[in-house]
Structure formats: structure tokens, C-alpha cells
Amino acid sequence: MIETIPETELSSPEGLTQDDLYRWVAGEYGAALDRLAGAYEADVDKRRDLLQEVHVALWRSFASSLWWKSHIETRVDKLVLWQW
């Protein structure tokens, strides 16, 4: 089960790790990412590879100390589009 991170912590990320942020976003938007990958790739193996690349890019994006300058939903949308 993915733990919910309070909005106050998301607006001030001190103390949250890259992994914490990734787990939260993957839990919140994982189903949407699955649907998007399915819409772009019909082949099951290629869809799985694409989804894995999206998740890696998402996790890497939280390494930046400036992550909070971009709204989470905007970040997810951009990463998904960049993968295709």
C-alpha cells in the first residue's frame, strides 16, 4: 500500500527522499500511466518496456532539488510524452 504524503509535505519537500516521492506519485498515477502506455503501444512486451522507461524517468526526475517548481501532474504528463 502506498502511503499518502500530506500536501504540506509536498509543497515543502525537505526530508522527503527521491524514493518517497516516486512511491507516492507511482501510487497516485500508476493506473493512468498504465492506460497511457496501453494507448501508445499495443504489443504487451513493448508496453511493459515503455512503462518501465516512464517509471525510471519519473524516479530520476525526483533527484532534482527543484522538483517542486513543477506541479506533479504536469511532471507526469511531460515524462510520459517524452518517452514516446
Side-chain angles (χ1 to χ4, degrees):
M1 178 90 182
I2 303 295
E3 182 179 325
T4 300
I5 299 174
E7 283 296 320
T8 55
E9 289 186 35
L10 289 174
S11 63
S12 178
E14 293 83 19
L16 294 179
T17 67
Q18 180 179 6
D19 291 338
D20 293 335
L21 294 167
Y22 166 76
R23 279 193 295 272
W24 180 79
V25 171
E28 289 289 315
Y29 298 99
L33 294 174
D34 289 342
R35 288 191 302 274
L36 283 168
Y40 277 93
E41 188 55 68
D43 182 90
V44 175
D45 291 328
K46 289 181 180 179
R47 182 183 321 145
R48 191 174 345 154
D49 289 345
L50 176 61
L51 191 56
Q52 182 176 358
E53 289 175 20
V54 169
H55 278 277
V56 169
L58 185 61
W59 177 79
R60 284 182 179 163
S61 76
F62 292 119
S64 168
S65 62
L66 300 176
W67 77 270
W68 63 89
K69 297 221 181 231
S70 170
H71 191 274
I72 295 288
E73 290 173 352
T74 302
R75 177 177 294 253
V76 170
D77 291 344
K78 285 180 181 177
L79 286 170
V80 168
L81 291 173
W82 290 339
Q83 294 303 313
W84 290 292

